[in-house]
Amino acid sequence: MRRTASPTSLILLGLGTFLLVLAPLLAWYVEPRAAVNPIDIDTTAVYRGTGSVFDTGELETVPGQRITVTQRVRGNVAESERSGDAVWDVTTTVDTDKTLPAADPHDALDFVPHRWVMDRRTTRPVHCCGEKPYIEGEAYLKFPFDVQKRTYRWWDNTLGGTVMLSYRGTEKVQGYTGYRFTGSVPPTRVGSRLVPGSIVDQPSRPQVLAEEWYSNHGFELVVDQATGRVVYAQTGPKRTLRAPGADKDAAVLLDSPKIAFTTDTQKEAVRQAKRDSGQLRAVGVTAPIGAAVAGFVLAVVGGVLVVRGRRRPESDETPDNSRVPLTI
């Protein structure tokens, strides 16, 4: 007798081997390359809160104002493709009900355009392509992929420096669980501004180069662990003016204990986080496990069939012990 493998057994064995090889490739090669920051991003986040705002018309601080912060992020595809990094153009406007709606963002209470350039995989700042300001730290607008339970250096554009955000456990936003980080900023001088002397308690001087100070009552960010997307953000900015060399605030430009994502912004951020993290999980976990299990089963079945094979006689003759002798 001789054993011969059937075509089916060889196909099963080959397919099983292929899936076993594919599984680690998906987890260790494909998934890390799928975790990249987009270059065609176009999102808008809206924050709302209440606080005190300096009225330039009345030259005084008005309390109890509703404050709206709008942050628009758009990817510069041409610059991104040329550099190989993610080039994001960001505009941040601060408004009260008095300045909304505004046909031109320049009419806002405050308007800040800037450009952030980052490595698409690590999210680390890259200094090229007309980046302004010189952004540092580990995260800004979003965290890196695969967020860890540790302290991160978050870029604060108003401060012009980084803030240490510490891990504070998990929290749910619109039913979605993320990592919670918090931090604050002590009063820090951030620049100078030419203002009438009366604003900083120096009425005898028509113009004074006042010191501009900034602090933050507290940051609170809830972040999707897989993608680093911020699904909830809260900030408490305070900006004041001081007379040159003074150690006390003379005027409050903006002060709010809490300005946070609106409900609509939270829902959209959660929707995108679910979509993106689901895709990463499918490539990095679900597909590799499925491929490994299916490959193992197919390889075992195919191997067993190859070993067993099919029994075929070596010739068409009847075995000797079955022949009937002739008698004469």
Side-chain angles (χ1 to χ4, degrees):
M1 300 294 178
R2 65 180 179 181
R3 299 178 183 271
T4 60
S6 68
T8 301
S9 63
L10 294 176
I11 291 174
L12 291 177
L13 180 60
L15 183 58
T17 303
F18 169 76
L19 290 176
L20 288 174
V21 173
L22 178 64
L25 285 177
L26 288 172
W28 300 334
Y29 184 83
V30 177
E31 192 270 345
R33 284 158 178 78
V36 293
N37 292 303
I39 63 175
D40 58 349
I41 186 172
D42 189 349
T43 64
T44 300
V46 179
Y47 301 67
R48 283 210 176 93
T50 58
S52 301
V53 177
F54 190 81
D55 189 319
T56 56
E58 300 295 331
L59 292 182
E60 63 179 9
T61 301
V62 181
Q65 299 294 297
R66 188 170 75 157
I67 301 169
T68 301
V69 178
T70 306
Q71 193 171 63
R72 177 81 180 270
V73 183
R74 300 185 68 179
N76 190 312
V77 177
E79 286 284 356
S80 298
E81 291 178 341
R82 183 185 62 80
S83 66
D85 300 305
V87 181
W88 292 2
D89 291 321
V90 187
T91 57
T92 304
T93 58
V94 181
D95 290 279
T96 61
D97 290 345
K98 186 177 180 180
T99 60
L100 284 176
D104 188 337
H106 294 82
D107 296 333
L109 185 68
D110 195 17
F111 171 73
V112 182
H114 53 287
R115 170 172 286 186
W116 182 33
V117 185
M118 80 189 95
D119 183 281
R120 296 190 65 192
R121 292 190 174 88
T122 67
T123 315
R124 293 272 185 170
V126 177
H127 307 298
C128 75
C129 316
E131 170 215 23
K132 185 180 181 181
Y134 190 92
I135 293 176
E136 299 177 297
E138 301 171 280
Y140 174 52
L141 302 182
K142 73 176 296 292
F143 278 61
F145 293 92
D146 189 24
V147 181
Q148 303 298 304
K149 299 177 180 180
R150 63 173 178 85
T151 298
Y152 282 84
R153 291 183 296 118
W154 174 268
W155 175 260
D156 183 342
N157 207 50
T158 304
L159 177 65
T162 58
V163 180
M164 305 304 288
L165 296 185
S166 302
Y167 174 74
R168 301 297 186 189
T170 61
E171 186 167 316
K172 286 190 175 183
V173 176
Q174 302 297 324
Y176 189 75
T177 302
Y179 285 3
R180 178 173 175 262
F181 294 86
T182 64
S184 61
V185 179
T188 306
R189 183 179 176 181
V190 294
S192 301
R193 181 180 297 196
L194 192 64
V195 299
S198 59
I199 293 179
V200 291
D201 300 327
Q202 294 188 358
S204 61
R205 302 175 62 182
Q207 297 287 325
V208 174
L209 190 61
E211 297 175 0
E212 188 168 355
W213 286 69
Y214 165 74
S215 61
N216 200 296
H217 298 287
F219 290 97
E220 180 179 343
L221 303 176
V222 181
V223 183
D224 176 46
Q225 190 276 329
T227 65
R229 180 182 292 277
V230 176
V231 296
Y232 176 82
Q234 174 184 315
T235 182
K238 182 178 182 180
R239 295 168 57 187
T240 62
L241 292 177
R242 296 182 184 182
D247 57 2
K248 293 184 179 180
D249 297 331
V252 174
L253 300 177
L254 174 68
D255 186 12
S256 175
K258 177 182 177 181
I259 302 176
F261 272 5
T262 63
T263 300
D264 287 344
T265 297
Q266 293 176 39
K267 289 180 178 179
E268 177 61 17
V270 167
R271 185 191 68 81
Q272 294 182 16
K274 285 182 177 180
R275 179 198 63 193
D276 296 344
S277 61
Q279 292 173 350
L280 290 178
R281 191 180 303 110
V283 174
V285 178
T286 307
I289 292 176
V293 172
F296 176 78
V297 172
L298 291 175
V300 169
V301 172
V304 169
L305 292 177
V306 168
V307 170
R308 289 176 60 185
R310 282 189 176 181
R311 295 177 177 274
R312 292 182 179 177
E314 296 185 359
S315 67
D316 294 334
E317 294 181 358
T318 304
D320 291 342
N321 58 7
S322 64
R323 294 177 182 175
V324 178
L326 297 176
T327 56
I328 300 176

